[in-house]
Amino acid sequence: MTTTTTSKEQMNEPNWTTHEKSCLKNKYSTELLVEDCSPIHLTDKSFPLDAYVVTFINPDGVVQKDLVRSAKKVNIFDMYYDKFGPGAMISIDFGPGNVNPKLWGNKPQEEKKKRR
């Protein structure tokens, strides 16, 4: 009896381990916001301005898109080149976000009650 895997089952396997994700900030000055983006993430305006959409070919030969935050594109290129090798990168485009990077991820302060 043979077992076959569909393309959906292969896509569920993450390209980045949790250890790799935690080391990205120190090694490359990048932050992986969303791995294997859906079209909904690519139109979401709640991401920071310094987020980029990275299109690449994963080791299985499937084209994927990630949403990565970085100050410089060269850091993103280095990260994907080291992980997937030459020829894997297709493009690095600006992300859909319009939130100031300094304010992204911060919760708004609660309003204090005024004393009379």
Side-chain angles (χ1 to χ4, degrees):
M1 184 170 184
T2 59
T3 306
T4 58
T5 57
T6 62
S7 60
K8 289 183 180 180
E9 290 175 359
Q10 291 175 352
M11 291 177 62
N12 290 337
E13 297 175 10
N15 292 320
W16 302 94
T17 63
T18 54
H19 177 69
E20 288 174 333
K21 287 180 187 179
S22 64
C23 294
L24 292 177
K25 189 137 185 125
N26 295 333
K27 189 171 182 181
Y28 298 106
S29 300
T30 60
E31 183 180 355
L32 185 63
L33 300 176
V34 180
E35 185 177 357
D36 195 16
C37 292
S38 66
I40 295 169
H41 289 115
L42 296 176
T43 58
D44 188 5
K45 302 275 186 200
S46 66
F47 290 109
L49 282 170
D50 60 352
Y52 294 95
V53 177
V54 180
T55 308
F56 67 99
I57 300 172
N58 71 3
D60 298 331
V62 179
V63 176
Q64 286 186 340
K65 294 185 179 187
D66 288 349
L67 194 61
V68 181
R69 183 178 182 199
S70 178
K72 297 180 183 179
K73 285 184 180 181
V74 71
N75 294 339
I76 297 172
F77 177 81
D78 290 342
M79 178 176 80
Y80 280 86
Y81 187 89
D82 291 346
K83 174 73 175 176
F84 300 109
M89 289 288 302
I90 296 174
S91 67
I92 302 174
D93 299 321
F94 288 106
N98 62 2
V99 177
N100 186 347
K102 292 179 185 176
L103 301 176
W104 186 78
N106 293 340
K107 296 180 181 177
Q109 294 180 353
E110 296 179 11
E111 293 183 18
K112 296 181 180 178
K113 295 181 180 179
K114 293 182 182 179
R115 292 185 176 179
R116 288 189 175 202

